[in-house]
Amino acid sequence: RELEDVCDHVGIMNHGKMLLEHPLSELQDNIVKLQIAFAQEEPPAFPKDLHILHTAQVGRVFTLILRGSPGDIKARMAPLNPILMEALPLSLEEIFIYELGGADDAAHKILL
């Protein structure tokens, strides 16, 4: 978390390979935590071409981690008629975990 205060450019490596390297602002603008809820018990199918990194559900509320811009993602989800939809920024720590994709469920639950 301290890195967010002192870094303006970030790289993430895994097993000696560079996974990504971007300005911090660009990285934070291209991954989104979306909380979305639907009136019906069974949610509609999410658009297939969205890049969903992680999904969690509590009752009718879904928390999705998606790659893309918040505006584009919200526009793609709007036709599903959610009763709640909010795009939240992710911390650098959360981005790191979801970009690696290998974090266990316990780490994801702590962050959500």
Side-chain angles (χ1 to χ4, degrees):
R1 294 179 192 242
E2 295 83 18
L3 290 177
E4 289 180 73
D5 296 334
V6 296
C7 293
D8 58 358
H9 200 89
V10 176
I12 296 178
M13 294 181 70
N14 187 20
H15 298 293
K17 293 184 181 179
M18 185 65 76
L19 295 179
L20 59 91
E21 181 183 353
H22 296 286
L24 182 57
S25 60
E26 181 182 312
L27 188 60
Q28 290 174 321
D29 289 344
N30 287 311
I31 189 166
V32 179
K33 181 189 292 188
L34 185 73
Q35 289 187 325
I36 189 165
F38 301 96
Q40 65 274 19
E41 297 255 346
E42 197 63 34
F46 298 130
K48 297 250 186 251
D49 59 340
L50 286 178
H51 193 159
I52 300 173
L53 301 174
H54 181 74
T55 304
Q57 179 182 2
V58 176
R60 295 181 185 186
V61 178
F62 289 82
T63 301
L64 306 172
I65 308 299
L66 303 111
R67 185 168 290 128
S69 73
D72 290 344
I73 291 168
K74 288 174 79 172
R76 296 293 320 277
M77 297 296 260
L80 301 179
N81 299 316
I83 57 173
L84 166 81
M85 181 167 51
E86 184 176 13
L88 305 169
L90 275 83
S91 68
L92 183 56
E93 180 181 3
E94 290 172 309
I95 292 169
F96 175 77
I97 287 172
Y98 291 110
E99 285 293 345
L100 284 179
D104 61 36
D105 285 342
H108 287 295
K109 288 178 184 173
I110 289 169
L111 293 174
L112 294 176

